[in-house]
């Protein structure tokens, strides 16, 4: 295993995320013991909620954070659901501080969920999603225990069934950063009956080498937009990096082939001079399966818009609201099936879940959370140094 990791939040950024997403100065600890690398506090700010699901002996408890903004709660009609996944070594509570999906949800009234990747130190050395070739490792060997496709499908089912607001199941979108973007693309290929579109940042497909390798169930209808900085030295725009990733343009070409796109790529430079769009069209399955790549000039591994609240340590970002571009792309697309608002299965089929209780944290909880936070920071620093 080589010298670079797909995502490396520094200690200051991790601490900032905890402070921004902690509802009180002494939050209660998560009761999911298997999340020891990245414990999610029981108590979160208004409109955030923590949920855990029991996946059985193989994967144990897995958790996520749901954000339901007032604008979504105010509607009676079905709203979109965006699944925003973190990068390698990162945490679910970190994404809302920089990916921009929370702000887009505030503006346009939809629900965002932030899944926690595998965070059990008995299984992996650092937090990760099992996107295929990347990024779950133990003692420098790849591990495949966690079935994140099953986890994310259950996450969606549970969210749809129990959401405070109705979810439009024809508008479920996969987003994410780095390893999270890789996982989003795996979901787009393996669960195309669930995913209306993928719109993610700084990641490529790592589950399949060629279009012929895509699963037989894939119907070629998943529209995909990736946003990639051409100065990214972690998942390089032209390919390579610590796992020999395919390049961003090759990745778009792979999806275009899998989707049967007959035209493209057409490259159009934005009038701002900050980025270009590589677009494929005339795709199969009645025109579904549109493929686009946004190439950001001179931008690194965090191709998101810098704001006043963006934590330090994310490198060379951009002044382009790439999350808005991603939203505009994804929200144009729906599943090809007739619109169905409501649960995708009956409540009796739902996995066992636990909602975080509303309670005042004790002094011992506060001390434990502090110790766990310090442990998490030390872990990230150690992984960063080890993989540098």
């Amino acid at each position: 295993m080589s010298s670079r990791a797909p995502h490396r939040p520094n200690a200051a950024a991790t601490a900032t995320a905890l402070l921004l997403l902690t509802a009180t100065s002494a939050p209660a600890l998560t009761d999911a013991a298997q999340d020891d690398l990245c414990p999610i506090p029981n108590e979160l700010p208004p409109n955030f909620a923590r949920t855990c699901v029991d996946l059985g002996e193989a994967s144990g408890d897995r958790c996520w954070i749901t954000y339901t903004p007032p604008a979504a709660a105010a509607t009676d009609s079905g709203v979109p659901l965006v699944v925003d996944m973190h990068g390698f070594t990162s945490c679910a509570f970190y994404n809302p501080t920089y990916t921009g999906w929370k702000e887009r949800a505030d503006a346009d009234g939809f629900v965002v969920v932030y899944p926690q990747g595998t965070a059990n130190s008995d299984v992996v050395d650092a937090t990760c999603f099992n996107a295929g070739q990347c990024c779950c490792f133990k003692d420098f060997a790849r591990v495949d225990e966690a079935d994140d496709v099953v986890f994310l499908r259950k996450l969606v089912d549970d969210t749809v069934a129990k959401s405070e607001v109705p979810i439009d199941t024809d508008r479920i979108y996969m987003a994410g950063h780095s390893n999270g973007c890789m996982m989003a693309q795996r979901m787009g290929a393996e669960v195309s009956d669930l995913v209306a579109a993928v719109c993610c940042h700084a990641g490529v497909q790592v589950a399949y080498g060629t279009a012929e390798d895509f699963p037989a169930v894939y119907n070629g209808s998943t529209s995909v937009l990736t946003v990639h900085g051409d100065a990214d030295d972690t998942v390089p725009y032209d390919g390579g990096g610590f796992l020999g990733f395919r390049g961003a343009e090759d990745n778009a070409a792979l999806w275009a082939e899998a989707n049967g796109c007959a035209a493209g790529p057409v490259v159009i430079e934005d009038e701002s001079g900050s980025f270009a769009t590589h677009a494929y069209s005339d795709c199969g399955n009645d025109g579904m399966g549109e493929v686009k790549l946004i190439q950001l000039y001179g931008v690194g591994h965090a191709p998101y818009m810098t704001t006043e609240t963006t934590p330090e340590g994310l490198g060379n970002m951009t002044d382009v609201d790439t999350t808005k571009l991603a939203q505009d792309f994804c929200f144009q697309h729906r599943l090809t099936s007739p619109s169905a608002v409501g649960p995708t299965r009956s409540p009796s089929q739902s996995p066992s879940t636990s909602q975080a209780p509303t309670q005042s944290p004790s002094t011992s909880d506060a001390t434990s959370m502090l110790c766990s936070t310090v442990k998490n920071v030390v872990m990230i620093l150690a992984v960063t140094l080890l993989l540098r």
Side-chain angles (χ1 to χ4, degrees):
M1 186 171 171
S2 137
S3 57
R4 294 188 184 276
H7 185 48
R8 300 188 299 267
N10 64 16
T14 301
T16 299
L18 281 168
L19 289 172
L20 288 174
L21 288 185
T22 294
T24 69
S25 59
L29 270 174
T30 173
D31 52 17
Q34 290 178 311
D35 277 355
D36 63 308
L37 292 176
C38 215
I40 299 174
N42 275 338
E43 295 192 20
L44 295 167
N47 308 317
F48 285 92
R50 181 183 68 93
T51 305
C52 294
V53 60
D54 182 3
L55 292 184
E57 192 172 334
S59 297
D61 287 347
R62 296 292 298 274
C63 302
W64 64 88
I65 297 170
T66 303
Y67 181 64
T68 307
T75 182
D76 292 328
S77 59
V79 302
L81 175 66
V82 173
V83 181
D84 183 20
M85 289 172 271
H86 64 75
F88 175 50
T89 80
S90 192
C91 300
F93 55 69
Y94 188 62
N95 275 33
T97 69
Y98 77 94
T99 65
W101 283 109
K102 174 185 177 296
E103 288 72 21
R104 297 311 317 156
D106 286 334
D108 293 333
F110 57 89
V111 175
V112 186
V113 290
Y114 301 95
Q116 178 58 58
T118 298
N120 182 354
S121 61
D122 291 336
V123 178
V124 294
D125 291 320
T127 54
C128 61
F129 287 100
N130 181 9
Q133 183 187 18
C134 189
C135 295
C136 292
F137 304 100
K138 183 67 175 178
D139 298 327
F140 300 104
R142 184 185 161 208
V143 295
D144 203 32
E145 278 84 351
D147 191 335
D148 282 316
V149 173
V150 169
F151 166 50
L152 293 169
R153 184 182 272 281
K154 288 190 175 183
L155 173 155
V156 169
D157 286 345
D158 190 80
T159 301
V160 168
K162 300 180 179 179
S163 174
E164 300 172 13
V165 300
I167 302 294
D168 184 345
T169 55
D170 275 352
R171 294 191 291 167
I172 294 171
Y173 306 108
M174 295 290 147
H177 180 205
S178 191
N179 179 207
C181 181
M182 297 170 191
M183 190 66 221
Q185 292 180 65
R186 182 172 189 175
M187 289 294 290
E190 296 188 17
V191 199
S192 55
D193 62 318
L194 177 74
V195 179
V198 172
C199 37
C200 63
H201 291 63
V204 295
Q205 171 67 257
V206 294
Y208 306 104
T210 67
E212 288 75 20
D213 296 330
F214 273 51
V217 296
Y218 183 61
N219 60 15
S221 65
T222 302
S223 295
V224 177
L225 169 77
T226 56
V227 179
H228 218 117
D230 63 13
D232 188 336
D233 62 357
T234 300
V235 182
Y237 183 86
D238 292 325
F242 89 120
L243 281 177
F245 298 110
R246 65 168 47 88
E249 293 179 22
D250 288 342
N251 187 66
L254 172 69
W255 276 104
E257 182 181 357
N259 289 357
C261 300
V266 175
V267 182
I268 302 173
E269 183 170 298
D270 186 72
E271 61 183 12
S272 68
S274 298
F275 67 93
T277 301
H278 304 240
Y280 291 85
S281 58
D282 295 337
C283 302
N285 204 338
D286 297 326
M288 301 292 289
E290 180 185 14
V291 178
K292 287 186 177 180
L293 162 68
I294 293 178
Q295 174 188 2
L296 286 158
Y297 301 141
V299 173
H301 189 54
Y304 296 93
M305 182 173 69
T306 304
T307 68
E308 292 181 356
T309 60
T310 301
E312 296 180 359
L314 288 173
N316 186 22
M317 298 175 74
T318 180
D319 59 1
V320 177
D321 190 348
T322 58
T323 308
K324 178 64 164 64
L325 296 177
Q327 179 194 349
D328 288 346
F329 175 87
C330 260
F331 282 24
Q332 295 178 63
H333 299 284
R334 307 173 63 93
L335 288 181
T336 55
S337 61
S339 179
V341 178
T344 57
R345 61 182 179 185
S346 67
S348 64
Q349 295 174 291
S350 297
S352 172
T353 59
S354 61
Q355 293 284 347
T358 301
Q359 60 182 13
S360 298
S362 66
T363 302
S364 61
D365 284 337
T367 302
S368 297
M369 183 60 189
L370 177 60
C371 292
S372 185
T373 300
V374 171
K375 177 183 176 183
N376 189 48
V377 170
V378 170
M379 181 277 298
I380 290 176
L381 286 173
V383 172
T384 299
L385 291 172
L386 184 63
L387 296 177
R388 181 166 293 169

